[in-house]
Amino acid sequence: EPIIEKEDFEKVQFLLAKKSINKKNRHEYLFRGLIKCKTCHSNLEVGAKITTKGKEIKNPIPYITCRNSKKGICPPQHLNYYKFEKETIEYLKQFLARYSNKDNLKRIFKEYKNNKNKSIDKYKKEIKLIDSKIANISSQIDNIYFDKINNVISQDDYFRYTNKIINERDSLINQKNEIIKIINNINQKQSKCSEKEMNETINEFLKNPSKKTIYRLIENIEIDEKKNIYIHFAFSKLNIIKEINKNHL
């Protein structure tokens, strides 16, 4: 009687062959780990079907997929990874070459500063208007209170009137706080790392777009259901430039 059954032996041989195929077809996906689904925000998977019915597929093509699409949470993602990688690298090279143009950079940040100041002025006007409405409501509450203590209105009417306008005032206060957060966010946009490190990373990428450099350069890349790609840089200055020039790149 044989030590290993024939069926078990064939299974082991198939697994060993599959492992060998995996090694032979291994590819260093430069953006793996950075690609996220814009719908569910989970990391997108990159993989290729390398065997069918135990036979090796020649030149398998890796695709980007979302694991949650199988659960019906997200629409199916089926994007050719090689095409995605090639086009993204080309886009980044063109985009970063614009950054390396100092005259262009100076113009961009001048435009950004002007737009930033305009946005802040607009939000400050909104806050001023909200403050005026809050002051008006506070005055109404005072008047209603005096009407109550002078027996012009009943206590029940007092609470009915004030509850409504107090809720309105609270809503305005919340709006004001949200606008203040937006203004603070605009004012606090600063690079996570030094200007020197950013420039070194850009130069390294333009010479050789390696996985290490890409991980230093990019925070993450989101892909939506229509296969639109959104790149978020690890350096806020690059995000600012991207935002200003999004209609020109």
Side-chain angles (χ1 to χ4, degrees):
E1 185 178 331
I3 298 173
I4 302 175
E5 295 291 335
K6 182 180 179 182
E7 185 179 347
D8 292 335
F9 177 78
E10 288 176 350
K11 283 181 181 178
V12 171
Q13 293 302 309
F14 171 73
L15 290 172
L16 289 173
K18 188 177 179 181
K19 188 175 180 181
S20 174
I21 292 168
N22 278 333
K23 285 183 178 180
K24 188 163 56 176
N25 288 284
R26 190 171 292 165
H27 173 81
E28 184 184 23
Y29 304 115
L30 295 178
F31 294 99
R32 174 181 268 170
L34 293 175
I35 318 170
K36 291 183 177 291
C37 174
K38 194 167 178 62
T39 303
C40 69
H41 307 295
S42 64
N43 286 341
L44 292 173
E45 297 175 338
V46 181
K49 188 176 181 181
I50 57 174
T51 61
T52 178
K53 297 181 180 180
K55 295 182 180 179
E56 179 183 354
I57 297 174
K58 292 182 179 179
N59 302 317
I61 298 173
Y63 282 87
I64 300 169
T65 57
C66 180
R67 64 172 68 91
N68 285 325
S69 65
K70 297 174 184 177
K71 302 174 185 177
I73 298 172
C74 298
Q77 292 276 6
H78 200 64
L79 187 64
N80 183 316
Y81 177 81
Y82 289 148
K83 184 180 178 183
F84 161 81
E85 183 175 292
K86 181 182 177 183
E87 290 181 356
T88 304
I89 291 290
E90 287 303 313
Y91 166 82
L92 289 169
K93 283 181 177 179
Q94 291 177 23
F95 174 79
L96 295 173
R98 290 187 178 218
Y99 173 84
S100 62
N101 184 319
K102 301 301 177 186
D103 291 334
N104 193 36
L105 185 64
K106 187 177 179 180
R107 177 190 60 77
I108 287 168
F109 275 101
K110 184 179 179 181
E111 183 182 342
Y112 166 71
K113 188 176 179 181
N114 290 336
N115 290 338
K116 172 185 163 183
N117 292 336
K118 285 178 183 177
S119 295
I120 290 174
D121 288 342
K122 183 191 76 170
Y123 287 125
K124 283 182 177 178
K125 285 178 182 177
E126 288 183 26
I127 288 175
K128 191 175 180 180
L129 181 62
I130 289 171
D131 282 339
S132 176
K133 289 180 179 179
I134 290 171
N136 184 46
I137 289 172
S138 297
S139 179
Q140 287 181 54
I141 293 171
D142 290 341
N143 291 334
I144 294 170
Y145 175 73
F146 287 126
D147 285 345
K148 183 181 86 72
I149 62 176
N150 291 323
N151 295 320
V152 175
I153 61 172
S154 68
Q155 186 167 325
D156 288 342
D157 285 339
Y158 168 75
F159 285 119
R160 184 162 55 85
Y161 295 149
T162 53
N163 283 341
K164 181 180 178 181
I165 57 178
I166 284 171
N167 288 336
E168 186 181 343
R169 184 182 63 181
D170 290 344
S171 176
L172 288 168
I173 290 170
N174 289 334
Q175 286 179 41
K176 178 181 174 179
N177 290 334
E178 287 301 314
I179 293 171
I180 290 170
K181 284 180 185 178
I182 292 170
I183 292 173
N184 290 336
N185 185 50
I186 292 171
N187 285 324
Q188 292 172 3
K189 274 188 176 181
Q190 295 177 353
S191 180
K192 291 182 180 179
C193 306
S194 69
E195 187 88 12
K196 182 182 177 183
E197 182 177 350
M198 181 174 65
N199 289 332
E200 287 176 352
T201 304
I202 290 169
N203 290 332
E204 285 178 25
F205 176 85
L206 291 173
K207 290 177 184 175
N208 177 31
S210 66
K211 192 167 189 175
K212 180 181 176 182
T213 308
I214 288 170
Y215 268 66
R216 286 171 58 195
L217 185 66
I218 295 173
E219 187 77 30
N220 62 65
I221 299 173
E222 292 181 310
I223 302 177
D224 67 15
E225 58 185 85
K226 295 182 179 178
K227 299 181 181 178
N228 294 314
I229 296 166
Y230 305 85
I231 299 174
H232 305 284
F233 291 100
F235 301 95
S236 62
K237 276 193 174 183
L238 295 179
N239 287 319
I240 290 167
I241 297 168
K242 174 173 63 78
E243 186 178 336
I244 292 170
N245 288 278
K246 62 187 175 184
N247 296 324
H248 306 290
L249 291 176

